[in-house]
Amino acid sequence: MIGPYPEQRDLYRARSPVHFADQLERPMLLLQGLDDKVVLPSQAEAMVEVLEGKGIPYAYLRVRG
């Protein structure tokens, strides 16, 4: 999608929202496929922890299948 890994590791990191969760300021809707092999559920859960910690409203919907 954005280049070979690990050669483009910096680009992957720069485009991954989980690395910038501390900058969140607005309500958010998270939709997570529980069987997703690219964006793991643990990444969405990390975002939820930040949102809860900052008191930002959110909805988190987990989908299987």
Side-chain angles (χ1 to χ4, degrees):
M1 292 189 306
I2 60 175
Y5 191 85
E7 294 85 359
Q8 296 290 322
R9 183 169 195 230
D10 291 341
L11 186 56
Y12 276 79
R13 183 173 175 77
R15 292 189 180 177
S16 177
V18 74
H19 298 291
F20 303 98
D22 61 320
Q23 297 177 21
L24 294 171
E25 298 177 351
R26 302 284 187 266
M28 182 177 221
L29 170 62
L30 293 151
L31 303 171
Q32 177 64 51
L34 294 177
D35 299 325
D36 194 331
K37 304 291 187 229
V38 176
V39 178
L40 302 176
S42 62
Q43 292 179 348
E45 292 160 10
M47 299 285 277
V48 165
E49 286 181 24
V50 171
L51 292 164
E52 286 182 347
K54 294 179 92 171
I56 298 173
Y58 69 91
Y60 178 34
L61 301 175
R62 296 170 284 273
V63 180
R64 181 156 320 271

mmCIF file of all heavy atoms in Angstrom, residues 10-38:
data_model
loop_
_atom_site.group_PDB
_atom_site.id
_atom_site.type_symbol
_atom_site.label_atom_id
_atom_site.label_comp_id
_atom_site.label_asym_id
_atom_site.label_seq_id
_atom_site.Cartn_x
_atom_site.Cartn_y
_atom_site.Cartn_z
ATOM 1 N N ASP A 10 9.506 4.201 8.421
ATOM 2 C CA ASP A 10 9.183 5.565 8.861
ATOM 3 C C ASP A 10 7.866 6.055 8.257
ATOM 4 O O ASP A 10 7.081 6.729 8.928
ATOM 5 C CB ASP A 10 10.306 6.532 8.506
ATOM 6 C CG ASP A 10 11.563 6.293 9.324
ATOM 7 O OD1 ASP A 10 11.478 5.647 10.391
ATOM 8 O OD2 ASP A 10 12.634 6.757 8.894
ATOM 9 N N LEU A 11 7.619 5.707 7.006
ATOM 10 C CA LEU A 11 6.375 6.108 6.350
ATOM 11 C C LEU A 11 5.176 5.389 6.972
ATOM 12 O O LEU A 11 4.134 5.994 7.204
ATOM 13 C CB LEU A 11 6.461 5.814 4.850
ATOM 14 C CG LEU A 11 5.309 6.306 3.992
ATOM 15 C CD1 LEU A 11 5.098 7.808 4.156
ATOM 16 C CD2 LEU A 11 5.584 5.971 2.528
ATOM 17 N N TYR A 12 5.335 4.112 7.275
ATOM 18 C CA TYR A 12 4.267 3.366 7.948
ATOM 19 C C TYR A 12 3.929 4.031 9.283
ATOM 20 O O TYR A 12 2.773 4.222 9.624
ATOM 21 C CB TYR A 12 4.680 1.920 8.194
ATOM 22 C CG TYR A 12 4.457 1.002 7.013
ATOM 23 C CD1 TYR A 12 5.341 0.982 5.937
ATOM 24 C CD2 TYR A 12 3.371 0.141 6.976
ATOM 25 C CE1 TYR A 12 5.143 0.135 4.866
ATOM 26 C CE2 TYR A 12 3.158 -0.708 5.906
ATOM 27 C CZ TYR A 12 4.050 -0.712 4.848
ATOM 28 O OH TYR A 12 3.846 -1.544 3.792
ATOM 29 N N ARG A 13 4.939 4.358 10.046
ATOM 30 C CA ARG A 13 4.727 4.986 11.355
ATOM 31 C C ARG A 13 4.054 6.351 11.213
ATOM 32 O O ARG A 13 3.133 6.681 11.947
ATOM 33 C CB ARG A 13 6.043 5.121 12.104
ATOM 34 C CG ARG A 13 5.869 5.699 13.483
ATOM 35 C CD ARG A 13 7.172 5.666 14.279
ATOM 36 N NE ARG A 13 7.016 6.335 15.540
ATOM 37 C CZ ARG A 13 6.412 5.845 16.610
ATOM 38 N NH1 ARG A 13 5.883 4.645 16.559
ATOM 39 N NH2 ARG A 13 6.318 6.531 17.723
ATOM 40 N N ALA A 14 4.492 7.130 10.246
ATOM 41 C CA ALA A 14 3.942 8.478 10.045
ATOM 42 C C ALA A 14 2.460 8.438 9.675
ATOM 43 O O ALA A 14 1.723 9.381 9.965
ATOM 44 C CB ALA A 14 4.732 9.207 8.966
ATOM 45 N N ARG A 15 2.008 7.367 9.056
ATOM 46 C CA ARG A 15 0.618 7.267 8.603
ATOM 47 C C ARG A 15 -0.259 6.444 9.532
ATOM 48 O O ARG A 15 -1.437 6.242 9.253
ATOM 49 C CB ARG A 15 0.578 6.680 7.199
ATOM 50 C CG ARG A 15 1.172 7.629 6.190
ATOM 51 C CD ARG A 15 0.941 7.154 4.806
ATOM 52 N NE ARG A 15 1.518 8.063 3.837
ATOM 53 C CZ ARG A 15 1.506 7.866 2.548
ATOM 54 N NH1 ARG A 15 0.956 6.767 2.053
ATOM 55 N NH2 ARG A 15 2.054 8.726 1.720
ATOM 56 N N SER A 16 0.278 5.976 10.623
ATOM 57 C CA SER A 16 -0.478 5.140 11.545
ATOM 58 C C SER A 16 -1.061 5.990 12.677
ATOM 59 O O SER A 16 -0.320 6.515 13.508
ATOM 60 C CB SER A 16 0.439 4.056 12.121
ATOM 61 O OG SER A 16 -0.267 3.288 13.060
ATOM 62 N N PRO A 17 -2.389 6.136 12.732
ATOM 63 C CA PRO A 17 -3.004 6.987 13.743
ATOM 64 C C PRO A 17 -2.701 6.586 15.181
ATOM 65 O O PRO A 17 -2.706 7.431 16.066
ATOM 66 C CB PRO A 17 -4.506 6.867 13.466
ATOM 67 C CG PRO A 17 -4.662 6.134 12.207
ATOM 68 C CD PRO A 17 -3.356 5.503 11.867
ATOM 69 N N VAL A 18 -2.419 5.325 15.417
ATOM 70 C CA VAL A 18 -2.193 4.880 16.790
ATOM 71 C C VAL A 18 -0.987 5.596 17.413
ATOM 72 O O VAL A 18 -0.926 5.778 18.626
ATOM 73 C CB VAL A 18 -2.054 3.343 16.863
ATOM 74 C CG1 VAL A 18 -0.730 2.871 16.328
ATOM 75 C CG2 VAL A 18 -2.304 2.839 18.270
ATOM 76 N N HIS A 19 -0.058 6.055 16.597
ATOM 77 C CA HIS A 19 1.124 6.749 17.097
ATOM 78 C C HIS A 19 0.854 8.221 17.422
ATOM 79 O O HIS A 19 1.740 8.905 17.938
ATOM 80 C CB HIS A 19 2.274 6.640 16.104
ATOM 81 C CG HIS A 19 2.700 5.227 15.866
ATOM 82 N ND1 HIS A 19 3.329 4.462 16.828
ATOM 83 C CD2 HIS A 19 2.550 4.418 14.799
ATOM 84 C CE1 HIS A 19 3.564 3.255 16.353
ATOM 85 N NE2 HIS A 19 3.098 3.192 15.120
ATOM 86 N N PHE A 20 -0.337 8.699 17.103
ATOM 87 C CA PHE A 20 -0.677 10.095 17.335
ATOM 88 C C PHE A 20 -1.940 10.236 18.173
ATOM 89 O O PHE A 20 -2.561 11.297 18.205
ATOM 90 C CB PHE A 20 -0.842 10.816 15.987
ATOM 91 C CG PHE A 20 0.387 10.715 15.131
ATOM 92 C CD1 PHE A 20 0.482 9.765 14.129
ATOM 93 C CD2 PHE A 20 1.473 11.536 15.372
ATOM 94 C CE1 PHE A 20 1.627 9.648 13.358
ATOM 95 C CE2 PHE A 20 2.634 11.426 14.614
ATOM 96 C CZ PHE A 20 2.705 10.486 13.600
ATOM 97 N N ALA A 21 -2.314 9.182 18.863
ATOM 98 C CA ALA A 21 -3.549 9.177 19.652
ATOM 99 C C ALA A 21 -3.549 10.267 20.710
ATOM 100 O O ALA A 21 -4.602 10.816 21.038
ATOM 101 C CB ALA A 21 -3.755 7.808 20.294
ATOM 102 N N ASP A 22 -2.392 10.632 21.219
ATOM 103 C CA ASP A 22 -2.324 11.667 22.247
ATOM 104 C C ASP A 22 -2.759 13.038 21.726
ATOM 105 O O ASP A 22 -3.047 13.938 22.498
ATOM 106 C CB ASP A 22 -0.906 11.745 22.821
ATOM 107 C CG ASP A 22 0.135 12.105 21.774
ATOM 108 O OD1 ASP A 22 0.037 11.605 20.632
ATOM 109 O OD2 ASP A 22 1.055 12.874 22.103
ATOM 110 N N GLN A 23 -2.851 13.204 20.411
ATOM 111 C CA GLN A 23 -3.261 14.475 19.815
ATOM 112 C C GLN A 23 -4.772 14.567 19.586
ATOM 113 O O GLN A 23 -5.266 15.596 19.130
ATOM 114 C CB GLN A 23 -2.536 14.681 18.483
ATOM 115 C CG GLN A 23 -1.038 14.791 18.637
ATOM 116 C CD GLN A 23 -0.323 14.914 17.305
ATOM 117 O OE1 GLN A 23 -0.904 15.294 16.300
ATOM 118 N NE2 GLN A 23 0.955 14.591 17.304
ATOM 119 N N LEU A 24 -5.504 13.522 19.915
ATOM 120 C CA LEU A 24 -6.948 13.524 19.703
ATOM 121 C C LEU A 24 -7.621 14.589 20.556
ATOM 122 O O LEU A 24 -7.264 14.768 21.723
ATOM 123 C CB LEU A 24 -7.537 12.149 20.024
ATOM 124 C CG LEU A 24 -7.105 11.025 19.099
ATOM 125 C CD1 LEU A 24 -7.585 9.685 19.652
ATOM 126 C CD2 LEU A 24 -7.619 11.248 17.702
ATOM 127 N N GLU A 25 -8.615 15.279 19.954
ATOM 128 C CA GLU A 25 -9.335 16.333 20.663
ATOM 129 C C GLU A 25 -10.838 16.300 20.441
ATOM 130 O O GLU A 25 -11.563 17.005 21.114
ATOM 131 C CB GLU A 25 -8.824 17.705 20.208
ATOM 132 C CG GLU A 25 -7.359 17.944 20.499
ATOM 133 C CD GLU A 25 -6.879 19.271 19.968
ATOM 134 O OE1 GLU A 25 -7.637 19.938 19.228
ATOM 135 O OE2 GLU A 25 -5.748 19.664 20.281
ATOM 136 N N ARG A 26 -11.312 15.535 19.464
ATOM 137 C CA ARG A 26 -12.720 15.546 19.085
ATOM 138 C C ARG A 26 -13.337 14.151 19.240
ATOM 139 O O ARG A 26 -12.635 13.152 19.218
ATOM 140 C CB ARG A 26 -12.864 15.983 17.626
ATOM 141 C CG ARG A 26 -12.287 17.337 17.296
ATOM 142 C CD ARG A 26 -13.212 18.449 17.812
ATOM 143 N NE ARG A 26 -12.764 19.760 17.379
ATOM 144 C CZ ARG A 26 -11.992 20.554 18.089
ATOM 145 N NH1 ARG A 26 -11.548 20.162 19.249
ATOM 146 N NH2 ARG A 26 -11.652 21.741 17.658
ATOM 147 N N PRO A 27 -14.661 14.096 19.357
ATOM 148 C CA PRO A 27 -15.338 12.800 19.417
ATOM 149 C C PRO A 27 -14.971 11.933 18.215
ATOM 150 O O PRO A 27 -14.687 12.452 17.126
ATOM 151 C CB PRO A 27 -16.826 13.167 19.389
ATOM 152 C CG PRO A 27 -16.868 14.544 19.957
ATOM 153 C CD PRO A 27 -15.606 15.209 19.468
ATOM 154 N N MET A 28 -15.013 10.624 18.427
ATOM 155 C CA MET A 28 -14.535 9.708 17.398
ATOM 156 C C MET A 28 -15.390 8.455 17.350
ATOM 157 O O MET A 28 -15.879 7.982 18.368
ATOM 158 C CB MET A 28 -13.094 9.337 17.717
ATOM 159 C CG MET A 28 -12.428 8.437 16.745
ATOM 160 S SD MET A 28 -10.712 8.201 17.251
ATOM 161 C CE MET A 28 -9.937 8.272 15.676
ATOM 162 N N LEU A 29 -15.546 7.929 16.136
ATOM 163 C CA LEU A 29 -16.193 6.649 15.916
ATOM 164 C C LEU A 29 -15.121 5.671 15.472
ATOM 165 O O LEU A 29 -14.411 5.919 14.495
ATOM 166 C CB LEU A 29 -17.265 6.759 14.826
ATOM 167 C CG LEU A 29 -17.853 5.450 14.316
ATOM 168 C CD1 LEU A 29 -18.571 4.706 15.437
ATOM 169 C CD2 LEU A 29 -18.786 5.713 13.143
ATOM 170 N N LEU A 30 -14.986 4.570 16.204
ATOM 171 C CA LEU A 30 -14.026 3.519 15.850
ATOM 172 C C LEU A 30 -14.801 2.291 15.409
ATOM 173 O O LEU A 30 -15.671 1.799 16.131
ATOM 174 C CB LEU A 30 -13.157 3.158 17.058
ATOM 175 C CG LEU A 30 -12.215 4.245 17.529
ATOM 176 C CD1 LEU A 30 -11.969 4.120 19.011
ATOM 177 C CD2 LEU A 30 -10.926 4.153 16.765
ATOM 178 N N LEU A 31 -14.486 1.790 14.225
ATOM 179 C CA LEU A 31 -15.073 0.555 13.701
ATOM 180 C C LEU A 31 -13.929 -0.429 13.539
ATOM 181 O O LEU A 31 -12.974 -0.160 12.807
ATOM 182 C CB LEU A 31 -15.744 0.806 12.352
ATOM 183 C CG LEU A 31 -16.830 1.883 12.344
ATOM 184 C CD1 LEU A 31 -17.265 2.201 10.935
ATOM 185 C CD2 LEU A 31 -18.008 1.437 13.184
ATOM 186 N N GLN A 32 -14.005 -1.560 14.220
ATOM 187 C CA GLN A 32 -12.891 -2.504 14.216
ATOM 188 C C GLN A 32 -13.350 -3.900 13.841
ATOM 189 O O GLN A 32 -14.228 -4.470 14.490
ATOM 190 C CB GLN A 32 -12.232 -2.548 15.600
ATOM 191 C CG GLN A 32 -11.108 -3.542 15.716
ATOM 192 C CD GLN A 32 -9.935 -3.194 14.808
ATOM 193 O OE1 GLN A 32 -9.467 -2.078 14.824
ATOM 194 N NE2 GLN A 32 -9.480 -4.145 14.016
ATOM 195 N N GLY A 33 -12.742 -4.438 12.813
ATOM 196 C CA GLY A 33 -12.970 -5.829 12.459
ATOM 197 C C GLY A 33 -12.155 -6.717 13.384
ATOM 198 O O GLY A 33 -10.933 -6.580 13.469
ATOM 199 N N LEU A 34 -12.798 -7.601 14.098
ATOM 200 C CA LEU A 34 -12.097 -8.436 15.070
ATOM 201 C C LEU A 34 -11.186 -9.461 14.419
ATOM 202 O O LEU A 34 -10.282 -9.984 15.060
ATOM 203 C CB LEU A 34 -13.102 -9.117 15.998
ATOM 204 C CG LEU A 34 -13.878 -8.149 16.895
ATOM 205 C CD1 LEU A 34 -14.896 -8.918 17.729
ATOM 206 C CD2 LEU A 34 -12.934 -7.362 17.782
ATOM 207 N N ASP A 35 -11.412 -9.745 13.141
ATOM 208 C CA ASP A 35 -10.564 -10.687 12.415
ATOM 209 C C ASP A 35 -9.543 -9.982 11.531
ATOM 210 O O ASP A 35 -8.850 -10.631 10.744
ATOM 211 C CB ASP A 35 -11.429 -11.618 11.563
ATOM 212 C CG ASP A 35 -12.393 -12.436 12.406
ATOM 213 O OD1 ASP A 35 -12.005 -12.815 13.530
ATOM 214 O OD2 ASP A 35 -13.526 -12.679 11.953
ATOM 215 N N ASP A 36 -9.439 -8.656 11.636
ATOM 216 C CA ASP A 36 -8.523 -7.865 10.807
ATOM 217 C C ASP A 36 -7.081 -8.242 11.125
ATOM 218 O O ASP A 36 -6.669 -8.243 12.280
ATOM 219 C CB ASP A 36 -8.752 -6.375 11.078
ATOM 220 C CG ASP A 36 -8.107 -5.461 10.065
ATOM 221 O OD1 ASP A 36 -7.073 -5.840 9.486
ATOM 222 O OD2 ASP A 36 -8.636 -4.359 9.859
ATOM 223 N N LYS A 37 -6.327 -8.575 10.106
ATOM 224 C CA LYS A 37 -4.915 -8.952 10.276
ATOM 225 C C LYS A 37 -3.975 -7.769 10.037
ATOM 226 O O LYS A 37 -2.788 -7.856 10.318
ATOM 227 C CB LYS A 37 -4.546 -10.084 9.308
ATOM 228 C CG LYS A 37 -5.415 -11.310 9.432
ATOM 229 C CD LYS A 37 -5.173 -12.033 10.722
ATOM 230 C CE LYS A 37 -5.931 -13.342 10.747
ATOM 231 N NZ LYS A 37 -6.684 -13.556 11.929
ATOM 232 N N VAL A 38 -4.497 -6.661 9.497
ATOM 233 C CA VAL A 38 -3.667 -5.488 9.210
ATOM 234 C C VAL A 38 -3.742 -4.494 10.360
ATOM 235 O O VAL A 38 -2.719 -4.052 10.892
ATOM 236 C CB VAL A 38 -4.090 -4.824 7.884
ATOM 237 C CG1 VAL A 38 -3.299 -3.554 7.642
ATOM 238 C CG2 VAL A 38 -3.918 -5.799 6.730
#
